[in-house]
């Protein structure tokens, strides 16, 4: 994954900043991915995922799933259907890989975000300077069981909203629960809510609480209210 691509201007008055931080020196490669992709339908795919484990097997699985998700997104399927098909790809990839992921489709026409999660951490919504966790359905991770039916949720975004997607390397600590790490991230994001998306992701990486030497992906998606946002 590119470690620090530039700020992306997307259709629908969106601006996106993404960062990837590699794993510890003994690995340097890992299974995290992110994707932001404008589709022929006019909708925009926003996704992050995390293959379990490190090393070449993890990064090979990541490449397979990220590319499969991109291809499936062009079919016009909903996030739920995309995740169900991605689950089948995971089961057939070999090596017994598993992964968590969140997949969202943003519709610029009504600013609606339709999303589903495969055992992934909650997204963080920054609205009017306050952070809110978008708790996902309690659905299984990818590669656990065949023919699993995922669920979808929808939220309407507003001008000025910022959505954060991330992987557990950002928050996971050896001697603390994930809930504590998520709460700390939400508090840090709220404190930095007024910053531009690229400054926001850089600052959150700089203050990241994770200490497990895992790789990390983070994506900030902002709905612009003014051209300079």
């Amino acid at each position: 994954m590119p470690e620090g691509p530039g700020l992306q201007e997307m259709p629908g008055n969106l601006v996106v900043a993404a960062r990837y931080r590699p794993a510890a020196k003994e690995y340097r490669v890992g299974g995290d991915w992110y994707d932001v992709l404008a589709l022929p339908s006019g909708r925009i795919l926003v996704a992050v995922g995390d293959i379990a484990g490190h090393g070449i097997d993890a990064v090979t699985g990541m490449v397979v799933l990220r590319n499969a998700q991109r291809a499936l997104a062009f079919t016009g399927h909903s996030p739920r259907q995309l995740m169900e098909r991605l689950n089948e790809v995971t089961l057939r990839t070999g090596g017994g890989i598993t992964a968590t992921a969140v997949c969202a489709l943003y519709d610029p026409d009504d600013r609606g975000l339709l999303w589903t999660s495969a055992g992934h951490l909650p997204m963080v919504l920054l609205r009017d300077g306050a952070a809110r966790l978008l708790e996902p359905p309690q659905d299984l991770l990818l590669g656990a069981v065949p023919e699993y039916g995922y669920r979808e949720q929808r939220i309407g975004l507003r001008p000025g909203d910022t959505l954060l997607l991330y992987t557990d390397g950002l928050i996971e600590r050896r001697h603390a629960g994930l809930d504590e790490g998520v709460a700390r991230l939400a508090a840090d994001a709220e404190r930095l809510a007024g910053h531009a998306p690229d400054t926001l992701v850089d600052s959150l990486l700089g203050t990241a609480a994770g200490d497990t030497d895992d790789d990390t992906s983070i994506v900030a998606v902002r709905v612009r209210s003014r051209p300079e946002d």
Side-chain angles (χ1 to χ4, degrees):
M1 296 300 301
E3 292 186 27
L7 205 63
Q8 291 180 266
E9 302 282 348
M10 305 294 294
N13 218 23
L14 289 188
V15 60
V16 179
R19 297 290 185 269
Y20 174 76
R21 184 173 62 192
K25 290 182 179 179
E26 60 266 31
Y27 300 113
R28 292 301 298 169
V29 293
D32 284 13
W33 81 87
Y34 65 84
D35 211 351
V36 182
L37 180 66
L39 300 172
S41 65
R43 295 184 296 177
I44 297 168
L45 170 73
V46 184
V48 297
D50 184 1
I51 300 280
H54 301 280
I56 295 301
D57 289 343
V59 78
T60 300
M62 178 273 288
V63 171
V64 170
L65 294 193
R66 183 174 186 265
N67 288 341
Q69 186 179 58
R70 279 201 150 203
L72 288 166
F74 279 89
T75 64
H77 290 312
S78 70
R80 172 185 63 80
Q81 294 169 318
L82 291 178
M83 200 70 86
E84 289 169 359
R85 285 156 177 77
L86 197 62
N87 180 54
E88 298 302 320
V89 172
T90 308
L91 287 163
R92 289 162 175 77
T93 295
I97 66 169
T98 58
T100 67
V102 60
C103 173
L105 289 174
Y106 176 74
D107 189 340
D109 290 340
D110 62 2
R111 299 196 191 97
L113 186 84
L114 191 63
W115 62 282
T116 190
S117 174
H120 204 75
L121 295 164
M123 296 184 288
V124 178
L125 175 65
L126 293 173
R127 174 175 289 171
D128 298 329
R132 167 188 169 193
L133 297 180
L134 300 184
E135 294 290 352
Q138 299 302 308
D139 282 336
L140 295 179
L141 76 171
L142 298 169
V145 297
E147 299 182 4
Y148 185 80
Y150 289 89
R151 291 167 288 176
E152 289 176 337
Q153 296 193 50
R154 186 188 184 280
I155 185 172
L157 298 183
R158 304 174 186 171
D161 283 355
T162 300
L163 192 67
L164 293 174
L165 300 84
Y166 56 96
T167 55
D168 60 8
L170 188 68
I171 62 162
E172 192 173 29
R173 296 182 67 87
R174 292 183 176 89
H175 305 295
L178 284 175
D179 288 346
E180 181 181 336
V182 170
R184 187 182 299 110
L185 172 64
D188 288 341
E190 187 169 287
R191 177 174 52 84
L192 298 163
H195 291 260
D198 52 349
T199 304
L200 176 62
V201 292
D202 286 336
S203 297
L204 289 173
L205 273 177
T207 58
D211 65 357
T212 60
D213 296 328
D214 198 2
D215 55 335
T216 298
S217 292
I218 181 171
V219 180
V221 180
R222 177 166 296 172
V223 183
R224 282 184 157 171
S225 55
R226 300 181 304 274
E228 63 272 19
D229 286 346

